[in-house]
Amino acid sequence: SNEIEEMNWEDCPENLNHIYLHYNQIKELNWEGCPWTLTKIDLSHNEIKEMNWKGCPKTLTSIGLSNNEIKEMYWEGCPETLTEIYLCCNKIKELNWKDCPENLTKILLNNNKIKEMNWKGCPENLTKIYLGNNKIQEINWEDCPENLTRIYLNCNNIKELNWKGCPENLDSIILSENKIKEINWEGCPENLSIINLSANNIKEINWEDCPENITRIFLHYNQIEEINW
């Protein structure tokens, strides 16, 4: 770790495209003077409180903001080139997609304080979302982008499976360490191949309506007494 407190781009090399500034003491995002060749920046493990995109280079594709003190998702001014963002271990309480760039395909939001799955305004190109270790109680697919293929919902407070409105392209869902008691496949997308239901409260395995494309199912650390095929 270092002790950098401010982002200073003065005399920065003009062709810089990657920079790693994690484990510092940076308190705010400052893009003034940032080279327009930058594509990736890692600012995890700092003290940043707000997502500020003013002056951010239009070439940026990846940013790491995990382990900071961010409370809200804010996208105004975010470059359309952004495809992935890391926001794990912050203080975010709700999903906000207003002004989110359409090219975003991957977002990590593990270890926050999110209570609801809100997809309104979510970019259609999103394929992967990580929502483990939050406070989500119900699965909600309304307005979920059709291109979503993978979702992590482990370590939440989910009590039952709900597939209503689930995108057909979903092939992987992680639901370990929740409070699910029953396996319900009704409405489950046919493309689903991986499901993790380990460490729940499941007592019986139900295969009715189980998709034929399932290749891996994780059921360890439940209360199942026998397997019925």
Side-chain angles (χ1 to χ4, degrees):
S1 63
N2 291 297
E3 297 180 0
I4 299 171
E5 296 184 358
E6 297 180 0
M7 294 169 65
N8 176 21
W9 301 101
E10 188 177 355
D11 298 323
C12 179
E14 292 182 359
N15 294 318
L16 184 75
N17 53 39
H18 287 57
I19 189 167
Y20 299 86
L21 292 168
H22 47 302
Y23 290 100
N24 276 288
Q25 299 171 23
I26 298 169
K27 293 179 173 57
E28 60 182 9
L29 294 173
N30 171 35
W31 303 104
E32 186 178 354
C34 180
W36 288 83
T37 53
L38 191 72
T39 59
K40 183 174 183 177
I41 186 169
D42 187 353
L43 289 158
S44 56
H45 295 274
N46 276 283
E47 300 171 14
I48 298 166
K49 294 182 179 180
E50 296 180 357
M51 295 167 67
N52 169 36
W53 302 101
K54 186 178 180 180
C56 181
K58 304 302 181 185
T59 51
L60 193 71
T61 60
S62 175
I63 186 169
L65 289 167
S66 296
N67 295 89
N68 277 282
E69 299 176 14
I70 297 167
K71 293 182 179 180
E72 296 180 7
M73 294 167 66
Y74 180 79
W75 302 102
E76 187 176 349
C78 181
E80 287 296 325
T81 50
L82 193 74
T83 59
E84 62 177 23
I85 186 168
Y86 297 76
L87 286 164
C88 306
C89 301
N90 277 284
K91 300 176 181 179
I92 298 167
K93 293 183 179 180
E94 58 185 18
L95 297 173
N96 173 35
W97 304 104
K98 185 181 179 182
D99 299 317
C100 184
E102 284 298 321
N103 288 316
L104 191 73
T105 59
K106 179 181 177 182
I107 185 168
L108 280 75
L109 287 157
N110 308 62
N111 295 89
N112 276 284
K113 299 179 180 181
I114 298 165
K115 294 182 179 179
E116 297 180 359
M117 295 168 65
N118 170 37
W119 301 101
K120 188 176 182 180
C122 182
E124 287 297 323
N125 289 317
L126 191 73
T127 59
K128 298 181 180 68
I129 187 168
Y130 295 69
L131 288 166
N133 287 93
N134 277 284
K135 297 182 179 181
I136 297 168
Q137 296 184 9
E138 296 181 0
I139 299 175
N140 172 38
W141 301 107
E142 187 177 355
D143 297 318
C144 180
E146 287 297 324
N147 289 317
L148 192 74
T149 59
R150 182 174 299 178
I151 186 168
Y152 286 75
L153 289 165
N154 52 295
C155 303
N156 277 285
N157 298 312
I158 297 166
K159 294 181 180 179
E160 60 182 7
L161 293 174
N162 171 33
W163 303 104
K164 185 179 180 181
C166 181
E168 289 296 323
N169 290 316
L170 192 74
D171 64 26
S172 178
I173 186 168
I174 310 300
L175 286 158
S176 52
E177 296 186 65
N178 276 283
K179 299 177 181 179
I180 298 167
K181 293 182 178 180
E182 297 180 1
I183 302 177
N184 169 33
W185 300 104
E186 186 178 355
C188 181
E190 289 296 324
N191 288 325
L192 192 72
S193 62
I194 300 171
I195 185 168
N196 189 332
L197 289 164
S198 60
N200 276 280
N201 300 321
I202 299 167
K203 294 182 179 181
E204 296 181 7
I205 301 176
N206 170 33
W207 299 108
E208 187 177 353
D209 297 320
C210 178
E212 295 181 359
N213 288 323
I214 286 283
T215 58
R216 280 181 278 177
I217 182 168
F218 299 84
L219 290 163
H220 48 289
Y221 295 111
N222 275 285
Q223 302 170 26
I224 300 166
E225 294 183 0
E226 63 178 348
I227 298 177
N228 176 21
W229 300 105

